[in-house]
Amino acid sequence: MVRVPVATLWAAPSKTRPCDAPALRDEPDLAAWVAAMTPDEQTSSDVVTQALLGDRVVVEESRPDGWSRVTLPGQHDYPGWIRTAHLTTAPAPDDQPPAPAAGPPTGEEVLAEARRLLGVTYVWGGLSAHGIDCSGLVHLVWRRLGVTLPRDAHQQQAATVAVPAGEERPGDLYFFARDGKPAHHVGIVVTPGHLIHASQGRHAVVEEPMPPERAETLAGAHRV
């Protein structure tokens, strides 16, 4: 299981860059990592996702150079490479506390949680308040409310229920896609036509009317 507040997964150990050094330390410094990157480096990297303190991982391979190949059961078996120093042995299942009982969150609860992340820097693959991407925002908001959603936008689209146009309500999700392709962007409905999302263009989590370029690729609204 993950023993540090935020552990970053890469497509391969060889894909890390000099600016990634703070995230690779035995005690990673995510604030320093985000600050060390240029905006281009924040939005274009071989980071695949992040795992949070206490997340269980399945270790597929451990190498003597300090890297482990893992999958994340809580993120739709997301695969990637992680620093072995960021992991610790998980307690036996019988030692685990019972999972908290959580009813479906209300739209107001979803928006309140999302607004706590307004202003967070857009970071490709990010899943924390240090830096986050669009589907990471959705995953983290619902996770904090006791609901596990998949990690990527197209997976989140498949795991939720379509809502007829004009019937979306606060806390629903807007999905965006091009030419019938899988969703490439997701945001949280505030009111019809308004959303909270991790905007690559604005380089932050923002609450705003749907920009025209997003409206052109709107694939519909879904409900969790």
Side-chain angles (χ1 to χ4, degrees):
M1 68 193 307
V2 176
R3 67 159 195 87
V4 296
V6 184
T8 304
L9 278 71
W10 274 268
S14 61
K15 299 293 187 179
T16 60
R17 309 156 297 177
C19 64
D20 295 323
L24 298 172
R25 298 172 188 164
D26 287 358
E27 304 300 328
D29 186 337
L30 270 293
W33 177 56
V34 173
M37 292 188 284
T38 66
D40 283 346
E41 289 170 332
Q42 290 169 345
T43 57
S44 179
S45 75
D46 285 288
V47 171
V48 293
T49 189
Q50 292 179 320
L52 307 183
L53 178 68
D55 281 356
R56 285 182 173 268
V57 307
V58 177
V59 178
E60 307 286 354
E61 175 187 355
S62 288
R63 301 194 328 195
D65 63 357
W67 285 95
S68 291
R69 181 168 57 88
V70 302
T71 58
L72 304 182
Q75 295 186 38
H76 212 73
D77 290 331
Y78 224 98
W81 287 86
I82 194 172
R83 293 297 295 168
T84 306
H86 298 168
L87 303 176
T88 188
T89 302
D94 289 345
D95 297 334
Q96 292 296 302
T106 66
E108 290 73 20
E109 290 173 329
V110 171
L111 293 180
E113 199 61 57
R115 285 174 174 140
R116 292 178 59 190
L117 295 163
L118 288 174
V120 170
T121 302
Y122 182 99
V123 174
W124 177 263
L127 192 65
S128 81
H130 297 288
I132 204 162
D133 64 15
C134 66
S135 57
L137 172 68
V138 169
H139 178 89
L140 184 60
V141 164
W142 263 267
R143 173 184 174 136
R144 288 179 170 180
L145 295 169
V147 178
T148 301
L149 290 180
R151 175 60 176 87
D152 284 348
H154 70 279
Q155 297 169 336
Q156 293 167 354
Q157 185 180 34
T160 51
V161 179
V163 175
E167 295 185 17
E168 63 268 31
R169 62 192 187 201
D172 287 343
L173 301 176
Y174 280 132
F175 288 98
F176 303 86
R178 297 184 181 92
D179 301 326
K181 294 181 180 179
H184 64 268
H185 188 69
V186 60
I188 300 169
V189 176
V190 178
T191 58
H194 287 65
L195 74 164
I196 295 173
H197 63 142
S199 168
Q200 188 169 357
R202 298 282 297 279
H203 211 70
V205 178
V206 296
E207 180 174 342
E208 63 180 355
M210 190 181 299
E213 64 272 17
R214 289 294 179 199
E216 291 174 0
T217 59
L218 179 63
H222 280 231
R223 186 161 298 151
V224 176

